[in-house]
Amino acid sequence: MSQIPFIDLKAQYKALKPKIDARIMAVLEHGAYVNGPEVVELETKLAAFTGTKYALACASGTDALMVPLMALGIGQGDEVITTAFSFIATAETIVLAGATPVYIDIDPITYNMDPKKIEAAITSKTKAIMPVSLYGQMPDMDAINAIAKKHGLHVIEDTAQSFGAKYKGKRSGSMTIAAGTSFFPAKPLGCYGDGGAIFTNDDNLYKAMKEIREHGSETRYYHTRLGINGRLDTLQCAILLAKMERYEWEISARQKIAENFGKAFASIKAEGFSYPKVADGCESVWAQYTLTVRDRAGFQKRMTELGVPTSIHYPRIMPDQPWYKENLKSPQHDWSQSRWAAENVISIPMYPDMDEATQNKVIDGVKKALGV
Ligand SMILES: *Cc1c(COP(=O)(O)O)cnc(C)c1O
């Protein structure tokens, strides 16, 4: 059987080719490869889309999380509460900023941070909460923000997988003092290399983050802060501008595919099997479509034989990653739901250009691999 792609970025390029090519050519012609006009054009569009006052294009999602931490003065001796179950960049940025990640368990339905676990993890050193909107869906932001307000903590949303998602009508990235997203090619909105963006409504924080992104300077060769080279190059901004023209359509296409999958999987009664649920009031952008199965290794092998690729996001919780375990003094908490997820989750193909025949192949593959 012919192999289905896990993500089909070539189909997307084909659909947008004239726009993307024209945008790229324009940059090659004007020659402002760094800090060119497309950067501000993109930032204006991103902010308008997200419903924030400001957006700052960044070199990666990792930088887009680290810059807000640096600008908020979070570092040595501070603790940041985050989820145990995410891509490593979440914990990595907290450590790079100089602070200690304090991991809490997830809600096993949404795979996101369980707000009920936050207060028990707060200490005199806690400065911020970094929730992750995993697989494209935001966590219970009202609950998280209420706890943060009560304890005087900053909230920085990791929106690397949720650009465009909604919580009670508000876009991901718009409900916290700062948020960082990623435009890595496989993310819901991807560029053709590494990229990311920061969102904020705060004037002073915006100014500080903009300077940090540019080696800690407002004026060239005069450095008032410790900064990084966190800029996104003009070509990537140009590509994203072309891609944004179709992004609303892509979100609804992903949502329709998720709906089809959900309908097909609702009747499956295999032990240990679950398919994703979106919480009331939320809209997911479906960065991943992630199942749980019993005997994951066997399921994955059968899927491969059936020509349906799968991927595991993520096989190990962050506090159990070797370097993090050996070098950090993160307090132990109960991570049993996160561990359950790490052992049982498996993602199946999901991309906006997936046609109905391919969707049916994926559905049939899942049923066959489960033996139902
Ligand atoms: C991808 C990702 C990041 C990092 O983004 P990069 O652009 O790869 O640096 C951070 N957090 C999460 C949850 C991610 O999925």
Side-chain angles (χ1 to χ4, degrees):
M1 192 192 251
S2 68
Q3 185 83 12
I4 295 166
F6 189 73
I7 305 177
D8 193 350
L9 293 174
K10 275 181 278 179
Q12 186 198 44
Y13 173 60
K14 244 188 184 163
L16 287 166
K17 187 176 178 352
K19 282 180 177 149
I20 291 174
D21 290 2
R23 280 284 189 176
I24 289 174
M25 283 315 293
V27 177
L28 295 180
E29 294 288 342
H30 72 53
Y33 304 130
V34 171
N35 288 341
E38 285 82 357
V39 180
V40 173
E41 190 186 345
L42 176 69
E43 289 174 343
T44 307
K45 281 229 167 75
L46 291 173
F49 183 87
T50 307
T52 53
K53 194 164 175 190
Y54 302 108
L56 278 164
C58 280
S60 69
T62 305
D63 282 356
L65 292 171
M66 201 170 70
V67 169
L69 287 166
M70 289 172 75
L72 289 165
I74 295 164
Q76 213 79 48
D78 298 335
E79 291 178 352
V80 178
I81 295 172
T82 190
T83 168
F85 188 59
S86 178
F87 177 59
I88 199 63
T90 311
E92 186 182 59
T93 54
I94 295 167
V95 179
L96 286 172
T100 303
V102 174
Y103 314 95
I104 61 168
D105 212 0
I106 56 163
D107 159 34
I109 304 295
T110 62
Y111 302 99
N112 281 326
M113 163 186 287
D114 183 348
K116 293 192 295 297
K117 306 285 166 68
I118 296 173
E119 283 196 300
I122 295 175
T123 71
S124 57
K125 294 177 182 166
T126 311
K127 288 281 149 55
I129 306 171
M130 190 184 278
V132 179
S133 300
L134 205 71
Y135 302 154
Q137 176 174 202
M138 294 166 76
D140 189 350
M141 288 309 302
D142 282 350
I144 294 168
N145 279 336
I147 295 164
K149 195 170 172 201
K150 182 174 155 198
H151 295 273
L153 307 174
H154 296 302
V155 182
I156 303 160
E157 186 193 356
D158 179 342
T159 74
Q161 300 186 11
S162 62
F163 178 71
K166 282 183 183 167
Y167 175 94
K168 298 185 183 172
K170 295 188 189 110
R171 293 270 194 204
S172 185
S174 71
M175 296 186 72
T176 53
I177 179 95
T181 197
S182 167
F183 300 130
F184 180 77
K187 306 286 163 139
L189 179 66
C191 56
Y192 289 164
D194 280 302
I198 305 168
F199 301 95
T200 188
N201 290 314
D202 187 291
D203 297 324
N204 292 328
L205 191 63
Y206 167 72
K207 188 173 178 291
M209 295 192 299
K210 196 173 175 192
E211 289 170 18
I212 291 170
R213 185 183 66 169
E214 193 84 37
H215 297 293
S217 65
E218 191 188 355
T219 314
R220 209 171 196 188
Y221 305 131
Y222 189 71
H223 306 276
T224 52
R225 301 171 182 277
L226 176 66
I228 62 170
N229 174 357
R231 298 175 303 245
L232 183 59
D233 60 82
T234 313
L235 272 172
Q236 298 302 342
C237 293
I239 291 160
L240 285 164
L241 278 164
K243 284 212 185 185
M244 274 196 80
E245 291 190 32
R246 197 175 84 132
Y247 192 56
E248 296 264 20
W249 174 85
E250 289 192 358
I251 295 174
S252 52
R254 283 175 188 269
Q255 287 170 345
K256 267 187 214 125
I257 295 164
E259 211 178 293
N260 285 350
F261 282 175
K263 272 186 204 141
F265 298 150
S267 58
I268 294 178
K269 297 265 180 315
E271 204 188 318
F273 175 78
S274 75
Y275 65 98
K277 314 279 180 320
V278 178
D280 284 345
C282 286
E283 281 177 38
S284 178
V285 291
W286 299 100
Q288 302 296 344
Y289 192 95
T290 305
L291 311 171
T292 64
V293 294
R294 219 178 65 170
D295 178 26
R296 182 171 64 185
F299 178 85
Q300 188 163 38
K301 187 166 167 279
R302 289 188 289 280
M303 288 287 272
T304 307
E305 285 160 7
L306 292 161
V308 185
T310 54
S311 191
I312 294 164
H313 309 100
Y314 297 92
R316 192 182 283 265
I317 65 170
M318 295 193 295
D320 285 349
Q321 291 292 347
W323 188 88
Y324 294 75
K325 214 170 162 166
E326 281 158 33
N327 293 285
L328 301 179
K329 293 197 170 60
S330 296
Q332 296 286 315
H333 284 285
D334 171 21
W335 302 313
S336 48
Q337 299 302 331
S338 304
R339 286 212 164 88
W340 163 82
E343 280 161 23
N344 293 282
V345 292
I346 187 156
S347 307
I348 60 174
M350 160 60 78
Y351 50 86
D353 294 280
M354 190 189 289
D355 59 26
E356 226 172 284
T358 310
Q359 290 172 45
N360 289 333
K361 270 190 210 167
V362 173
I363 292 166
D364 288 345
V366 169
K367 287 182 176 169
K368 277 191 192 131
L370 287 169
V372 297

